[in-house]
Amino acid sequence: SIESAGGNLGVIKACGQTPNCVSSTDPRQAYAIKPLAFTGSVSETKKSLLKIIAALPGSRLAGNHGPYLHFEFTSRFLRFIDDVEFFFDEDLKQIEMRSASRTGRYDLGVNRKRLNLITKHWNQLLTKVTFPFLRNGESPNGDSPLRKKGTVT
């Protein structure tokens, strides 16, 4: 059987006791992050996520097996490696994710920042796909950053 960095393939593990990990399957607030939602097929969803992650510095695809992706992120200066995993749950239409440092105890929030950045890019992509008619910067509920500043009426 194929093993993931966090456990068995298809299972994104919760974090251990060190504060250098974030996981969508961990119920503890200090380690928790929300999974990503998706609407299309797992195949198309994986392609979209692969594009987002390929654009991030230090990323390398380490595993691509069925509904599972594993990336290694190498830090620029000290060359630390973090494992980042995604599992595409077709039944729940969500992507479970985990980012954890291989070594050390503290990560200065790097793993959470990374998954938050991926989430931000994912949500922007999802909005473009779901609402292609929206103008740049407008949200699905009609809010515009320009309207909030009072420059558009």
Side-chain angles (χ1 to χ4, degrees), residues 43-116:
S43 174
E44 289 302 314
T45 302
K46 277 177 74 173
K47 287 178 189 175
S48 297
L49 189 60
L50 281 163
K51 287 179 188 175
I52 289 170
I53 300 206
L56 299 178
S59 68
R60 181 184 82 77
L61 181 62
N64 182 352
H65 309 284
Y68 174 79
L69 290 173
H70 173 213
F71 295 90
E72 294 174 344
F73 279 80
T74 304
S75 65
R76 199 165 45 172
F77 296 113
L78 298 176
R79 312 302 296 163
F80 290 126
I81 298 175
D82 295 340
D83 291 295
V84 180
E85 305 173 274
F86 299 91
F87 178 76
F88 299 77
D89 188 326
E90 191 155 23
D91 293 335
L92 296 177
K93 290 293 190 187
Q94 66 185 23
I95 306 167
E96 297 292 351
M97 55 186 179
R98 181 179 195 264
S99 184
S101 301
R102 284 189 186 173
T103 58
R105 181 165 172 80
Y106 299 103
D107 69 345
L108 303 174
V110 169
N111 286 298
R112 181 169 298 282
K113 288 175 190 169
R114 178 183 298 119
L115 290 187
N116 283 340

Side-chain angles (χ1 to χ4, degrees), residues 29-40:
Q29 186 175 357
Y31 301 95
I33 193 163
K34 290 183 179 181
L36 303 175
F38 71 95
T39 57

Side-chain angles (χ1 to χ4, degrees), residues 126-147:
L126 196 61
T127 299
K128 286 180 186 176
V129 170
T130 308
F131 302 99
F133 54 85
L134 293 178
R135 290 175 288 190
N136 195 19
E138 191 173 63
S139 71
N141 64 7
D143 292 339
S144 168
L146 296 176
R147 279 194 193 101

